[in-house]
Amino acid sequence: MERFEYKTLFTDAKGTFGGKVDQSAFQRELNELGQQGWELVNTVPAAQSYGSTRWIISIFKRKIE
């Protein structure tokens, strides 16, 4: 049976009302995790208030050898 480990990455959506992400930094973090063998499974926004995004939560998995 295959076994996996999981990791979450919380990316700050800056700005007074949230929703502003440094795209270059976000992509760099995703690529670094990919090079370490992590596979992106899902990304979900976490609301702050009034529907504005405060965090972007990315969920990764990789097989345990």
Side-chain angles (χ1 to χ4, degrees):
M1 174 174 63
E2 291 184 327
R3 295 177 17 180
F4 297 93
E5 61 180 329
Y6 296 88
K7 180 179 193 69
T8 53
L9 171 66
F10 286 76
T11 303
D12 191 5
K14 299 174 169 93
T16 304
F17 297 105
K20 295 183 180 178
V21 175
D22 181 339
Q23 293 178 9
S24 296
F26 185 55
Q27 185 171 358
R28 190 170 39 255
E29 287 180 288
L30 294 176
N31 284 327
E32 286 175 12
L33 289 169
Q35 289 176 355
Q36 295 171 20
W38 292 100
E39 176 184 358
L40 180 63
V41 176
N42 200 359
T43 301
V44 291
Q48 173 177 282
S49 63
Y50 303 107
S52 63
T53 300
R54 183 65 187 118
W55 297 96
I56 296 174
I57 305 168
S58 301
I59 304 161
F60 298 83
K61 74 174 185 178
R62 72 177 171 189
K63 191 187 293 189
I64 298 174
E65 302 286 332

